[in-house]
Amino acid sequence: KYYPPDFDPAKIPKLKLPKDRQYVVRLMAPFNMRVGSWLDQPFPSSWSWGWLWAAWSRIPTLGGRAAVPPQTDPENTDYTMEHGATRNFQAEKLLEEEEKRMQKEREEEELNNPMKVLENRTKDSKLEMEVLENLQELKELNQRQANVDFEAMLKQHKEVEEEQRRKEQE
């Protein structure tokens, strides 16, 4: 940086800012949330996309108090809010809970009914067979595409064209 010889830092005016000013903060959270400690309004739905959304928000320093960020919850492999905000609707977590409930119901049903065990096994084996067939079809398709030699095809096409030209000239 260049400072001219007549530069005097004392002549620069001091910036006087209010003590209750607001800071612009880039806020990224792993889930949709409703901030309650300083705003009593939910974030607009247009700001929430996927599991990670970002929003520009203004956070006043209410006497040195600010919101606490989400804490990690390793037991449930999730995040928790201690205070300052509450979670909004979370479809993915509800879906996982529904799958767990369905699995538990199936296990309880199988304990009481041996015929249901047999039915479930046959369904599972059919599904596994279909998956294996689809996988085999995909492997065959990939092998067919991998075995195609495009250079040889172009060379053969050029030879056919040259032969046609010779016939036309004759």
Side-chain angles (χ1 to χ4, degrees):
K1 292 182 178 181
Y2 172 74
Y3 293 102
D6 60 340
F7 176 74
D8 185 14
K11 291 182 180 178
I12 298 175
K14 297 279 181 180
L15 190 61
K16 295 181 182 176
L17 299 172
K19 294 192 185 222
D20 61 343
R21 71 178 177 163
Q22 293 183 343
Y23 297 93
V24 176
V25 176
R26 177 79 171 170
L27 176 66
M28 297 186 81
F31 51 82
N32 300 334
M33 71 173 110
R34 178 185 175 110
V35 181
S37 65
W38 61 83
L39 292 171
D40 277 335
Q41 300 173 11
F43 288 118
S45 61
S46 61
W47 290 0
S48 57
W49 43 270
W51 67 274
L52 179 67
W53 62 264
W56 285 99
S57 61
R58 298 190 176 277
I59 303 174
T61 60
L62 300 170
R65 231 177 71 209
V68 175
Q71 303 295 318
T72 56
D73 182 14
E75 183 178 316
N76 298 323
T77 61
D78 200 11
Y79 294 91
T80 60
M81 286 299 299
E82 289 185 356
H83 63 277
T86 56
R87 286 181 91 147
N88 281 350
F89 180 75
Q90 45 201 351
E92 189 172 319
K93 188 173 182 181
L94 291 175
L95 181 66
E96 289 175 5
E97 289 174 0
E98 181 69 19
E99 287 176 358
K100 287 179 185 177
R101 187 183 62 76
M102 294 290 284
Q103 183 66 23
K104 192 181 235 183
E105 284 179 5
R106 180 177 173 174
E107 290 172 1
E108 288 175 2
E109 197 173 84
E110 287 178 353
L111 286 174
N112 298 333
N113 190 352
M115 284 303 289
K116 196 66 175 173
V117 174
L118 185 60
E119 288 175 8
N120 288 338
R121 279 189 195 159
T122 55
K123 283 181 187 176
D124 291 342
S125 64
K126 280 184 180 179
L127 182 65
E128 187 176 344
M129 294 282 284
E130 288 176 9
V131 168
L132 288 174
E133 287 174 6
N134 290 340
L135 184 62
Q136 187 64 30
E137 287 177 14
L138 288 173
K139 283 182 179 179
E140 290 173 2
L141 183 66
N142 284 339
Q143 284 179 346
R144 275 188 256 142
Q145 288 179 349
N147 291 338
V148 173
D149 186 12
F150 294 105
E151 295 297 323
M153 284 177 56
L154 290 172
K155 186 176 179 183
Q156 185 181 10
H157 183 67
K158 286 181 183 178
E159 290 174 359
V160 170
E161 284 182 347
E162 288 177 13
E163 190 174 318
Q164 285 178 348
R165 285 183 195 152
R166 273 189 244 135
K167 287 181 180 179
E168 287 176 2
Q169 287 178 355
E170 289 176 1

